[in-house]
Amino acid sequence: MNQIPFFRRQRAYLSQFTTGQLHLKSPWVVAFFSFSYPGFGHMILHRYAAAFILILWETFINQMANINEGILYTLLGDFEKAKHILEERWLILYVGIYMFSIWDSYRTTIDLNKQYVLADREDAQILNMKMGTWDMNFLDKRKPWVALMWSVVIPGLGHLYLHKVITGFFMFGYTVVILYLGHIPEAIHHTMTGNFDKAIQALDMQWTLYIPSIYLFILYNAYSSAVELNKLFEKEMSKYLRQNYQNKNFKLPI
């Protein structure tokens, strides 16, 4: 006969490669990142399978529909060229998944916030270390500004500092591909040598326009993840000290 576990919900789960945790999030912030780039909102929620699929789908459908170039010409006021360059057959397919990504990330955030409140009230147990043959993961204090700094240098390194190995390597590889296809390193080289016209000509704007959304998300996610992991470490340490060192007669504040 199966026994019902004492804790119905988990506040966090440690694997060898990452730490998944429940914590309060603003549904509007999550929806905003899904609006800026489908999949990013789901990544904030630690729903990595859905996040990676949506990110790759966004890249594929955006390229097929020429959406970034359409956005560029729209911002430049050349509406006729924007309409001409968009591929309508692919654009229709883009809209449905795009709207679903925003709606689903918003809805899921509200549900996960409720799960977090219940898990926190139950004072659910937190595993503080996970070891395996490939890697080891443990709760520890991390500096948010260090995660932010490494993310500025190269996207993904801030997540590796936080031991989010899967997210870190995915975002690192994905960003490198975008930078290469957009000829951005080449444009930076020409800019540093003062050859601005050649820098502009080198850029492939269809790929380059991905970068602002990617960088904004990576900086935010690395910093906020460090803050929340520090809170998780404090909760685990607090529970351990209460259970092992606190006098049983001590009355907890309401």
Side-chain angles (χ1 to χ4, degrees):
M1 182 176 179
N2 295 330
Q3 294 182 348
I4 299 175
F6 181 74
F7 298 105
R8 294 185 63 197
R9 296 170 180 86
Q10 291 179 283
R11 283 192 292 202
Y13 177 80
L14 269 71
S15 73
Q16 295 179 51
F17 305 108
T18 191
T19 301
Q21 66 175 117
L22 291 174
H23 61 84
L24 295 178
K25 309 175 190 71
S26 169
W28 294 107
V29 171
V30 177
F32 167 77
F33 280 108
S34 290
F35 168 80
S36 67
Y37 210 108
F40 283 172
H42 289 78
M43 192 173 290
I44 294 175
L45 300 174
H46 304 286
R47 297 183 61 195
Y48 296 118
F52 295 156
I53 292 171
L54 286 171
I55 289 171
L56 295 176
W57 169 258
E58 157 68 15
T59 307
F60 170 76
I61 199 72
N62 196 312
Q63 291 301 119
M64 300 303 295
N66 299 319
I67 293 172
N68 281 351
E69 286 193 67
I71 293 172
L72 173 64
Y73 290 122
T74 301
L75 294 174
L76 294 174
D78 195 344
F79 302 109
E80 289 300 322
K81 194 166 185 179
K83 288 190 293 183
H84 175 74
I85 204 169
L86 288 173
E87 179 57 61
E88 295 177 356
R89 292 177 300 174
W90 290 103
L91 185 62
I92 297 299
L93 295 175
Y94 179 85
V95 174
I97 301 298
Y98 182 75
M99 297 303 296
F100 170 80
S101 174
I102 299 171
W103 171 80
D104 188 57
S105 62
Y106 182 90
R107 173 195 64 83
T108 305
T109 304
I110 294 174
D111 290 341
L112 290 179
N113 283 346
K114 295 176 182 178
Q115 294 295 322
Y116 169 77
V117 171
L118 293 172
D120 198 51
R121 288 179 179 177
E122 293 174 5
D123 199 18
Q125 191 71 37
I126 303 172
L127 182 69
N128 68 343
M129 190 171 187
K130 179 74 173 182
M131 295 184 67
T133 55
W134 285 92
D135 206 345
M136 62 181 69
N137 188 13
F138 56 92
L139 294 180
D140 193 14
K141 282 276 191 177
R142 307 292 167 90
K143 296 178 180 180
W145 68 266
V146 173
L148 182 66
M149 180 192 69
W150 281 115
S151 295
V152 170
V153 175
I154 295 181
L157 295 186
H159 290 80
L160 292 180
Y161 166 70
L162 301 175
H163 203 86
K164 290 180 173 289
V165 178
I166 299 172
T167 306
F169 278 117
F170 177 84
M171 293 311 301
F172 170 76
Y174 185 72
T175 308
V176 167
V177 171
I178 299 294
L179 291 172
Y180 177 80
L181 294 175
H183 302 281
I184 296 174
E186 183 182 349
I188 293 173
H189 170 73
H190 291 311
T191 301
M192 295 177 68
T193 57
N195 197 342
F196 302 110
D197 291 335
K198 200 168 184 179
I200 295 173
Q201 294 173 3
L203 288 173
D204 184 334
M205 296 306 297
Q206 172 63 27
W207 290 100
T208 301
L209 286 180
Y210 289 117
I211 293 300
S213 297
I214 293 173
Y215 249 100
L216 177 63
F217 167 75
I218 288 174
L219 297 181
Y220 167 81
N221 190 240
Y223 187 89
S224 62
S225 294
V227 172
E228 295 301 333
L229 285 173
N230 286 345
K231 292 179 182 178
L232 184 65
F233 171 82
E234 292 171 358
K235 283 184 177 292
E236 192 281 330
M237 181 61 71
S238 174
K239 183 178 179 66
Y240 175 77
L241 294 175
R242 279 187 282 111
Q243 289 181 336
N244 294 277
Y245 294 99
Q246 185 170 285
N247 192 309
K248 294 182 180 179
N249 296 322
F250 179 80
K251 294 183 178 181
L252 291 169
I254 297 174

